[in-house]
């Protein structure tokens, strides 16, 4: 495997890790919104007499809130360029090598400068694995938040 393919694989692993993290955060946003709106609607329903119109309005409010949260959570796309910029911010030792590589790989795949750039960036990549881009504790915290919110929502829906 040459340096260009190795660095490309490294970037792909970084993109997958970021996409997974952003997807999880979006799921937390949607489930958390549904949970908060369910609690608010249940509180409102206990205060006013239920009628078919009020039930329809409450369901429409819940659906609108969840769809809005889903829209906000799905608007962020993770591309190779975004991952490269985030890598550069988190690990300044790359000194714009990753961003330059992504730009040149897209437009000038046969550039003789590209393998040299990739070799230099791979040396820095060895010191900064993709797992450090989004730390394990952060992924665990998001998973636990998602599980807690989904469990609470399920408990409310079933009772």
């Amino acid at each position: 495997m040459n340096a260009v393919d190795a660095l490309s694989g490294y970037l792909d692993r970084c993109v997958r890790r970021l996409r997974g993290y952003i997807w999880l955060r979006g799921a937390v946003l949607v489930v958390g919104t549904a949970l908060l709106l369910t609690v608010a609607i249940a509180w409102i329903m206990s205060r006013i007499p239920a009628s078919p119109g009020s039930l329809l309005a409450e369901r429409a409010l819940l659906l609108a809130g969840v769809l809005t949260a889903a829209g906000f959570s799905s608007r962020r796309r993770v591309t190779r360029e975004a991952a490269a910029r985030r890598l550069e911010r988190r690990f300044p030792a790359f000194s714009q090598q990753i961003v330059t590589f992504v730009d040149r790989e897209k437009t000038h795949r046969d550039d003789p400068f590209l393998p040299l750039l990739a070799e230099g960036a791979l040396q820095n990549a060895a010191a900064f694995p993709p797992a450090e881009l989004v730390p394990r504790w952060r992924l665990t915290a998001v998973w636990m938040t998602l599980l807690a919110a989904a469990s609470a929502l399920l408990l409310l829906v079933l009772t």
Side-chain angles (χ1 to χ4, degrees):
M1 176 183 299
N2 62 16
V4 172
D5 292 336
L7 188 59
S8 185
Y10 172 78
L11 278 170
D12 289 340
R13 289 190 305 276
C14 289
V15 167
R16 273 195 310 271
R17 187 140 180 119
L18 279 173
R19 281 183 183 157
Y21 175 66
I22 289 174
W23 181 86
L24 279 173
R25 277 189 8 202
V28 167
L29 180 64
V30 170
V31 172
T33 300
L35 177 63
L36 291 176
L37 285 174
T38 300
V39 169
I41 289 172
W43 182 78
I44 290 169
M45 287 177 67
S46 70
R47 302 284 184 250
I48 61 172
S51 67
S54 68
L55 291 175
L56 182 64
E58 290 161 352
R59 287 184 184 139
L61 175 68
L62 180 62
L63 182 63
V66 169
L67 289 177
T68 302
F72 278 123
S73 68
S74 67
R75 70 186 166 100
R76 186 166 177 196
R77 300 277 182 232
V78 178
T79 60
R80 287 173 71 94
E81 293 84 10
R85 283 191 302 275
R86 188 160 181 170
L87 273 168
E88 295 283 352
R89 276 194 314 269
R90 293 262 306 152
F91 195 64
F94 279 120
S95 64
Q96 299 298 313
Q97 292 172 325
I98 297 289
V99 173
T100 305
F101 175 79
V102 169
D103 290 340
R104 296 196 64 72
E105 183 188 35
K106 229 181 348 183
T107 58
H108 301 67
R109 183 76 174 159
D110 298 329
D111 187 359
F113 173 67
L114 202 59
L116 295 173
L117 180 64
E119 286 176 16
L122 275 176
Q123 292 172 355
N124 289 326
F128 193 78
E132 287 188 32
L133 188 59
V134 178
R136 179 180 220 98
W137 67 266
R138 185 169 281 168
L139 284 174
T140 303
V142 173
W143 267 112
M144 297 305 280
T145 304
L146 178 62
L147 288 174
S151 298
L153 182 63
L154 184 65
L155 179 71
L156 284 176
V157 168
L158 292 177
T159 57

